[in-house]
Amino acid sequence: MSDTPDRLPSGSSTAKTSPPIVSAAWNWGAAIPAGLAILLVFSAGIWGGWRVWQQRQRTLQCQQTIEVVDRGYVRILEFQGTDPKAIETLANSLQAIATDLRVLELPNERIADYQAQFVSLYQQLGDAYGKMADEVRRITSAKPDAEMLKELKRSQANVKRHGADAHAIARQLETLSSEFNRYCAAGR
């Protein structure tokens, strides 16, 4: 230990030096890229969230539509009978399916277009079965005489025609369902 106080180098003082003065001016050159990066990240997050929300809405709308369309398929597949009452019941069920489809609120334009097509096909199918029920009713209630024979033949021909119409509409419905299922599956 030394008895002499520590010596300061020449030209130094015992007073502390203050830190350099920071300019109050903002360095925009560095802040703009950082701000843009933050804005881009924030925008991408909003965009991604919006896309997820849109996808969920599309999936929900697809599920709602498929649920009603499937009820129609079940009605058709379960149909048995040739009596006018059974055919008329099927016709009324198909019309009810068309109504259930029509009241769905589907904001997705593409799904709403499919909805309109399904409604139309179910209405047409219901109409075809309704007409078929009327013709079968005429046939089953006709009295067998020579004059009614022409009427019966015409009704039988109409039943065949309405059956063919129903078959053609069912094929269109099947094609539309396949297309709709592909559209809904593509969004998952």
Side-chain angles (χ1 to χ4, degrees):
M1 275 212 183
S2 129
D3 291 346
T4 60
D6 290 334
R7 293 198 157 182
L8 294 174
S10 65
S12 22
S13 71
T14 57
K16 292 185 176 179
T17 58
S18 62
I21 299 176
V22 177
S23 169
W26 183 262
N27 184 354
W28 289 105
I32 289 175
L36 286 175
I38 291 170
L39 181 62
L40 286 174
V41 168
F42 183 70
S43 297
I46 289 175
W47 174 254
W50 181 79
R51 293 291 298 158
V52 167
W53 180 82
Q54 286 288 92
Q55 187 56 45
R56 285 184 182 157
Q57 291 302 310
R58 176 180 164 166
T59 300
L60 176 65
Q61 292 172 45
C62 283
Q63 289 171 342
Q64 290 173 326
T65 305
I66 289 169
E67 179 183 312
V68 179
V69 168
D70 283 351
R71 282 194 328 232
Y73 277 127
V74 168
R75 297 268 184 346
I76 293 167
L77 292 174
E78 289 178 342
F79 174 71
Q80 292 184 2
T82 56
D83 64 289
K85 185 68 176 164
I87 298 170
E88 185 176 42
T89 300
L90 176 61
N92 291 338
S93 292
L94 296 173
Q95 292 295 345
I97 295 296
T99 299
D100 291 348
L101 279 165
R102 185 181 310 111
V103 298
L104 289 177
E105 292 185 28
L106 305 171
N108 180 299
E109 289 180 29
R110 184 92 183 262
I111 295 174
D113 182 49
Y114 283 116
Q115 173 191 25
Q117 292 176 61
F118 278 123
V119 167
S120 176
L121 289 174
Y122 271 108
Q123 285 176 331
Q124 291 174 38
L125 196 55
D127 288 344
Y129 279 110
K131 291 173 183 176
M132 191 184 307
D134 292 341
E135 294 297 336
V136 170
R137 192 173 282 114
R138 275 192 203 107
I139 292 169
T140 58
S141 66
K143 302 208 183 334
D145 62 23
E147 191 174 304
M148 287 301 290
L149 188 56
K150 283 184 184 177
E151 186 83 23
L152 287 173
K153 285 185 180 184
R154 191 172 319 138
S155 289
Q156 287 174 336
N158 285 340
V159 166
K160 286 181 183 177
R161 183 173 49 92
H162 296 308
D165 290 347
H167 184 72
I169 294 166
R171 280 195 320 254
Q172 290 175 344
L173 190 59
E174 186 177 330
T175 300
L176 180 63
S177 294
S178 294
E179 184 181 318
F180 182 71
N181 287 332
R182 277 192 305 274
Y183 172 76
C184 288
R188 293 183 188 171

